[in-house]
Amino acid sequence: MKTHFPGIKPVVYEGPRSKNPLAFKHYNPDERVEGKTLKEHLRFSVVYWHTFRNALSDPFGAGTAIRPWDDGSNSVKNAQTRVRAAFEFMEKLGAPFYAFHDRDVAPEGKDLRETNKNLDAVVKVLKEEQQRTGIRLLWGTANLFSHPRYLHGAATSCNADVFAFAAAQVKKALEVAHELGGAGYVFWGGREGYSTLLNTDLKREQEHLAKFLHLAVDYKKRIGFQGQFYIEPKPKEPTKHQYDSDAAACLNFLRQFDLLSHLKLNLETNHATLAGHTMQHELEVAGAAGALGSIDANTGDELLGWDTDQFPTSVYLTTQIMLTILKYGGLATGGVNFDAKVRRESFEPVDLFHAHIGGMDTFARGLKIAAAIRKDGRLAEFVRQRYGSWDSGRGAQIERGQTSFGELEAAMLKQGEAAPNVSGRQEYLENLINEFL
Ligand code: XUL
Ligand code: CO
């Protein structure tokens, strides 16, 4: 078999003392934590768009990426060769999952019919490679934002024909995800938002988006696709305001339009920070609503205000993420999906390995540290005790709904003052976390 990454051997775990840049120092897939292997907990996934379709251009200059397997053409044959290279990469990396948009894997044709045919020709190769390697599809999605037809959005376009085209595209993408045994399917809003309210009927656009998702739910049932549906929040970029702006906005939207039982959230770190939140905040909001589904693992740059999609390297960040994920029972159908790209200056194929190895090791450390913090128990015990007044007496009565304002007023009139507060001990807790890092 032709190799596209000559000289790169399968990446193995060599332990924290290894100086080999192409080995894992912390991600030992078979190591067990809280009853599951690291591989089962983390469910790492490689994204097709950044890793295989991003030429590393920026608004000021052309792409720099050297990708010897890619002839740069828009042919189906080139797309098929790219699949072989992608699976060789994922196999050598030891990633059990991948994710793609329809348009990442196959070129758009002269019309929808030809586009679907192109996709089928590439899906055939994806299926072969999945079978050869055992690598699975974490989720599929449709690109409803790149083509000029989507300039006003897709499901929220002012043009009903564009809604219809998007529906046709998602129908096909669902069939493909089903055929490839996908564990999920993601809806990211793309251009579902607005640039100005002067030309926008916000209420109508949101209703259309809900209608679109209900049609997708119907079709999912019709074809018997078992994968989990996710919605991915992002506040802005490319639009000034995206309707799925953050976890809370998505949950409210899903609840308002009776979609909450059909979709969970796919949360992305850099989207959280663009929304003015931490990733842990977004995870907690989703987890509390029973909607924590999957994560797009990346990070932004604190000094840049846009979606830089960098690979995560902060152990503090991954510790926080894994604390919340473990707290809510782990990623069931979801995974740690590296929606991240190498910098424009890192243009060689080997940089793709460095980036993913770093991200995987950082998550492995975060997971082990989070598990150690949980095993130690002091953090959880502190929080438990902090809410101790709710476990019995008046607190328990309020929680059970067995009281009224009148009764509570009478109690406080009698008592004269609430029981004194105790310290929140933030600094003590921050020190406690640092004990484990
Ligand atoms: C865009 C983004 C998308 C989604 C899938 O910022 O994160 O790549 O993850 O469409
Ligand atoms: Co994403």
Side-chain angles (χ1 to χ4, degrees):
M1 206 178 76
K2 184 173 166 26
T3 169
H4 299 283
F5 297 91
I8 295 183
K9 292 200 274 300
V11 180
V12 294
Y13 172 71
E14 291 185 1
R17 265 189 264 279
S18 168
K19 298 279 180 262
N20 176 2
L22 293 176
F24 295 118
K25 321 290 186 302
H26 304 279
Y27 177 60
N28 177 3
D30 302 320
E31 186 178 334
R32 296 184 85 80
V33 163
E34 296 198 10
K36 280 199 290 189
T37 64
L38 263 54
K39 188 175 173 186
E40 289 162 342
H41 271 289
L42 295 164
R43 297 166 61 85
F44 286 125
S45 167
V46 170
V47 306
Y48 212 91
W49 54 100
H50 283 318
T51 302
F52 296 101
R53 298 312 313 276
N54 196 327
L56 306 181
S57 62
D58 71 14
F60 300 93
T64 57
I66 297 173
R67 304 288 183 251
W69 55 85
D70 199 314
D71 67 14
S73 78
N74 237 347
S75 72
V76 170
K77 189 160 180 306
N78 189 34
Q80 290 172 326
T81 306
R82 204 186 282 126
V83 172
R84 308 280 184 207
F87 274 80
E88 182 186 337
F89 173 79
M90 297 187 287
E91 201 182 14
K92 285 187 165 166
L93 183 67
F97 291 97
Y98 72 114
F100 68 87
H101 302 80
D102 49 0
R103 300 300 173 257
D104 304 331
V105 292
E108 195 126 7
K110 66 175 186 312
D111 56 19
L112 182 62
R113 198 174 305 279
E114 189 179 285
T115 301
N116 286 347
K117 211 174 118 213
N118 291 348
L119 186 53
D120 287 335
V122 180
V123 166
K124 199 173 144 278
V125 185
L126 288 168
K127 204 169 175 180
E128 267 173 39
E129 288 293 304
Q130 284 191 193
Q131 274 157 3
R132 183 183 69 74
T133 59
I135 293 169
R136 294 177 54 205
L137 178 64
L138 185 70
W139 48 261
T141 189
N143 178 332
L144 306 178
F145 42 91
S146 292
H147 194 281
R149 85 175 67 85
Y150 294 124
L151 82 158
H152 295 300
T156 65
S157 174
C158 46
N159 178 349
D161 256 13
V162 172
F163 181 108
F165 200 99
Q169 206 179 314
V170 170
K171 174 180 178 288
K172 180 71 181 170
L174 286 172
E175 289 161 10
V176 162
H178 186 35
E179 168 152 15
L180 293 174
Y185 186 91
V186 162
F187 294 88
W188 168 57
R191 294 182 190 274
E192 315 294 26
Y194 59 80
S195 290
T196 173
L197 285 169
L198 288 174
N199 64 15
T200 302
D201 187 336
L202 180 143
K203 181 170 183 290
R204 213 167 175 186
E205 290 200 3
Q206 289 191 334
E207 285 164 3
H208 293 167
L209 184 56
K211 189 130 288 174
F212 193 89
L213 293 173
H214 272 293
L215 289 170
V217 169
D218 290 347
Y219 194 65
K220 173 188 192 223
K221 284 188 192 141
R222 232 189 96 191
I223 61 175
F225 176 47
Q226 300 288 323
Q228 173 66 48
F229 271 4
Y230 307 101
I231 187 165
E232 181 176 326
K234 183 174 183 179
K236 51 192 163 198
E237 251 196 56
T239 67
K240 171 199 179 94
H241 175 80
Q242 309 260 137
Y243 293 134
D244 46 13
S245 58
D246 66 2
C250 283
L251 289 169
N252 181 58
F253 170 82
L254 296 174
R255 217 173 261 126
Q256 180 180 352
F257 292 103
D258 201 19
L259 285 157
L260 198 51
S261 58
H262 301 295
L263 288 100
K264 289 192 154 88
L265 301 188
N266 179 41
L267 297 164
E268 177 164 328
T269 320
N270 208 164
H271 295 179
T273 47
L274 283 181
H277 304 308
T278 62
M279 178 62 163
Q280 198 177 14
H281 165 90
E282 291 291 84
L283 289 161
E284 285 287 339
V285 169
L292 204 176
S294 194
I295 66 168
D296 272 10
N298 63 17
T299 192
D301 186 306
E302 276 170 28
L303 302 182
L304 302 174
W306 61 90
D307 195 12
T308 58
D309 281 340
Q310 286 165 241
F311 278 83
T313 55
S314 160
V315 179
Y316 206 89
L317 169 71
T318 55
T319 298
Q320 291 174 333
I321 291 175
M322 292 316 300
L323 270 173
T324 299
I325 287 178
L326 289 176
K327 173 171 151 188
Y328 286 104
L331 299 165
T333 52
V336 175
N337 180 53
F338 289 112
D339 193 353
K341 61 187 180 218
V342 291
R343 297 304 86 191
R344 186 168 182 268
E345 298 87 337
S346 309
F347 52 81
E348 293 179 0
V350 71
D351 292 309
L352 298 173
F353 279 94
H354 294 151
H356 284 85
I357 290 169
M360 290 160 85
D361 265 346
T362 307
F363 263 91
R365 287 179 80 179
L367 168 60
K368 288 187 248 188
I369 293 165
I373 292 169
R374 282 158 59 83
K375 185 158 180 233
D376 169 80
R378 276 175 293 162
L379 181 63
E381 181 54 21
F382 181 89
V383 177
R384 203 189 60 72
Q385 279 187 19
R386 185 160 184 252
Y387 293 88
S389 70
W390 295 90
D391 293 336
S392 60
R394 179 171 303 128
Q397 230 172 338
I398 299 173
E399 280 196 352
R400 284 199 300 267
Q402 293 168 340
T403 190
S404 65
F405 264 19
E407 226 177 80
L408 296 173
E409 183 199 41
M412 284 303 114
L413 284 172
K414 190 164 163 224
Q415 208 169 298
E417 182 51 87
N421 277 315
V422 294
S423 171
R425 302 249 187 277
Q426 178 171 334
E427 298 75 10
Y428 157 78
L429 295 171
E430 286 165 346
N431 297 348
L432 190 153
I433 298 291
N434 279 352
E435 272 182 40
F436 295 84
L437 288 169

